Amino acid sequence: ELLYSWRLLRPEAHYGRMLSRCAGHGHNQVTIIFRTRRFHSLRELFCLYKAYVLSHLESGPPAYYHAPRFFLSSTDRVQERFLEELGVSPQIALIDFCLAPLQARRDIAMLGLLHRVLLGLAPEPLASIFPPMVVARFPRHAWPRASS
């Protein structure tokens, strides 16, 4: 929890190393999966990708969500390579195998984090970064009336 909090406060120093290491690991895992390609069906290859590669690529989106696009493109290329080598379009991957593009998955992860913060279920170091929103409410009779 504390590690995530520190990365959120000072992320610019770690974008390059963290994401290139993550992408390198992803490419290695995709290569390993494709070595066993002849023994698996297409659905099983997607399951292997989700279990061994996607879980690693999606570790810590709050730490690098706001990174510049050129840093995130290295991790996106891992999934693009996987789909290209299988000959599956991103649309078919989403519809048939429930594999959304990584940018959409990062957006969903951040919405989930904000939802947990709003519900009070997020870890304290993360929740302290997002101050509670104060909503001012005024009684209806205090609103100015429209002149007719």
Side-chain angles (χ1 to χ4, degrees), residues 14-104:
H14 295 282
Y15 287 150
R17 278 187 296 161
M18 180 176 49
L19 292 173
S20 66
R21 191 178 306 145
C22 186
H25 179 76
H27 281 295
N28 290 341
Q29 293 289 44
V30 166
T31 302
I32 290 169
I33 289 172
F34 281 135
R35 285 183 187 157
T36 64
R37 183 182 194 166
R38 62 184 170 177
F39 303 111
H40 302 288
S41 67
L42 189 60
R43 186 159 303 281
E44 289 170 340
L45 288 172
F46 271 90
C47 287
L48 288 170
Y49 174 80
K50 288 178 182 180
Y52 293 106
V53 181
L54 195 59
S55 61
H56 190 75
L57 292 178
E58 289 185 330
S59 60
Y64 57 82
Y65 177 76
H66 51 283
R69 184 78 186 128
F70 62 88
F71 281 123
L72 296 171
S73 65
S74 62
T75 57
D76 293 344
R77 278 195 300 267
V78 175
Q79 184 161 319
E80 291 168 7
R81 174 184 164 219
F82 177 75
L83 294 177
E84 283 175 13
E85 289 197 28
L86 289 178
V88 176
S89 71
Q91 294 82 11
I92 297 298
L94 176 62
I95 293 169
D96 292 347
F97 302 103
C98 300
L99 183 64
L102 288 176
Q103 182 60 47

Side-chain angles (χ1 to χ4, degrees), residues 1-16 18-19 57-68 71-72 106 109-110 113 126 129-130:
E1 295 173 4
L2 185 60
L3 181 63
Y4 273 124
S5 176
W6 183 79
R7 284 183 182 169
L8 278 169
L9 295 175
R10 292 273 333 235
E12 66 276 356
H14 295 282
Y15 287 150
M18 180 176 49
L19 292 173
L57 292 178
E58 289 185 330
S59 60
Y64 57 82
Y65 177 76
H66 51 283
F71 281 123
L72 296 171
R106 284 191 290 268
M110 286 306 294
L113 171 71
L126 279 175
I129 294 172
F130 302 99

